[in-house]
């Protein structure tokens, strides 16, 4: 038993020895130029003293991002963020509206793709009645899904906006 403890002790000291590296403090070089200034939309200007002199091109979506984050007079908008999926506002009514727009758009796209998949199943069934029925069921389910989406939007608008005035 003491022999095993000795081996573990030697192994531990060896691991400590190979993992230990002394740290030496070094002086960091002083930057000679000021760092570039970047705006909230990701455009970095290389010369902050002369904003008209730019060497970096604007990002391709900079105009959309700028319209999203700033008002026409140049003041920043409150609780507004530019994301990969577009301009999102976190104000309660605008946030819910933008999230619901995204969710319903995705759901409608999935329903459309389901109709296409069901149609392709029917077209490639080669007369097989099981595959024809499977394709018809897919198309029917997708159409009912689209109707459900349309009626849910209608109900949300009627109940939320007209009745509850949310």
């Amino acid at each position: 038993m003491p022999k095993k403890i000795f081996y573990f002790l030697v192994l531990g000291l060896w691991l400590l020895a190979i993992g230990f590296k002394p740290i030496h403090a070094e002086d960091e070089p002083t930057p000679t130029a000021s760092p570039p200034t970047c705006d909230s939309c990701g455009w970095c200007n290389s010369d902050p003293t002369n904003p008209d002199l730019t060497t970096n091109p604007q990002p391709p979506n900079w105009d959309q991002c700028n319209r999203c984050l700033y008002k026409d007079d140049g003041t920043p908008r409150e609780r507004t963020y530019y994301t990969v999926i577009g301009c999102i506002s976190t104000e309660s009514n605008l946030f819910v509206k933008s999230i619901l727009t995204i969710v319903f758009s995705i759901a409608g796209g999935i329903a459309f793709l389901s109709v296409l998949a069901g149609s392709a199943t029917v077209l490639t069934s080669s007369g097989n009645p099981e595959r024809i029925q499977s394709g018809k069921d897919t198309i029917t389910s997708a159409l009912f899904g689209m109707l459900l989406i349309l009626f849910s939007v209608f109900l949300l608008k009627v109940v939320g906006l007209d009745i509850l005035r949310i």
Side-chain angles (χ1 to χ4, degrees):
M1 189 74 155
K3 201 174 203 180
K4 287 182 181 179
I5 294 173
F6 175 74
Y7 288 140
F8 281 121
L9 184 63
V10 169
L11 179 65
L13 289 174
W14 181 72
L15 288 174
L16 183 66
I18 63 168
F20 176 75
K21 293 190 172 123
I23 299 173
H24 299 287
E26 295 179 10
D27 293 335
E28 288 188 22
T30 307
T32 56
S34 59
T37 58
C38 298
D39 64 3
S40 298
C41 293
W43 185 30
C44 295
N45 197 357
S46 61
D47 188 7
T49 59
N50 187 2
D52 296 329
L53 176 66
T54 59
T55 56
N56 296 329
Q58 291 179 345
N61 59 351
W62 186 81
D63 291 328
Q64 295 170 347
C65 176
N66 201 23
R67 278 192 304 264
C68 172
L69 295 180
Y70 300 101
K71 297 176 186 174
D72 291 335
D73 61 357
T75 59
R77 294 182 196 267
E78 294 289 323
R79 297 185 297 263
T80 303
Y81 303 96
Y82 187 74
T83 64
V84 176
I85 56 176
C87 191
I88 301 283
S89 175
T90 56
E91 292 182 26
S92 62
N93 59 349
L94 295 177
F95 181 69
V96 170
K97 183 180 178 183
S98 61
I99 292 297
L100 288 178
T101 301
I102 292 168
V103 168
F104 289 139
S105 299
I106 291 172
I110 290 171
F112 177 72
L113 291 176
S114 296
V115 168
L116 288 180
S119 301
T121 303
V122 169
L123 289 174
T124 60
S125 66
S126 301
N128 185 352
E130 292 174 0
R131 287 184 48 93
I132 291 174
Q133 189 60 40
S134 172
K136 286 181 181 179
D137 290 342
T138 303
I139 293 171
T140 305
S141 299
L143 290 177
F144 280 131
M146 279 202 240
L147 287 174
L148 181 69
I149 292 167
L150 289 174
F151 284 126
S152 66
V153 170
F154 174 72
L155 283 174
L156 282 172
K157 285 186 179 180
V158 168
V159 172
L161 293 177
D162 297 338
I163 296 174
L164 298 176
R165 299 190 198 299
I166 296 176

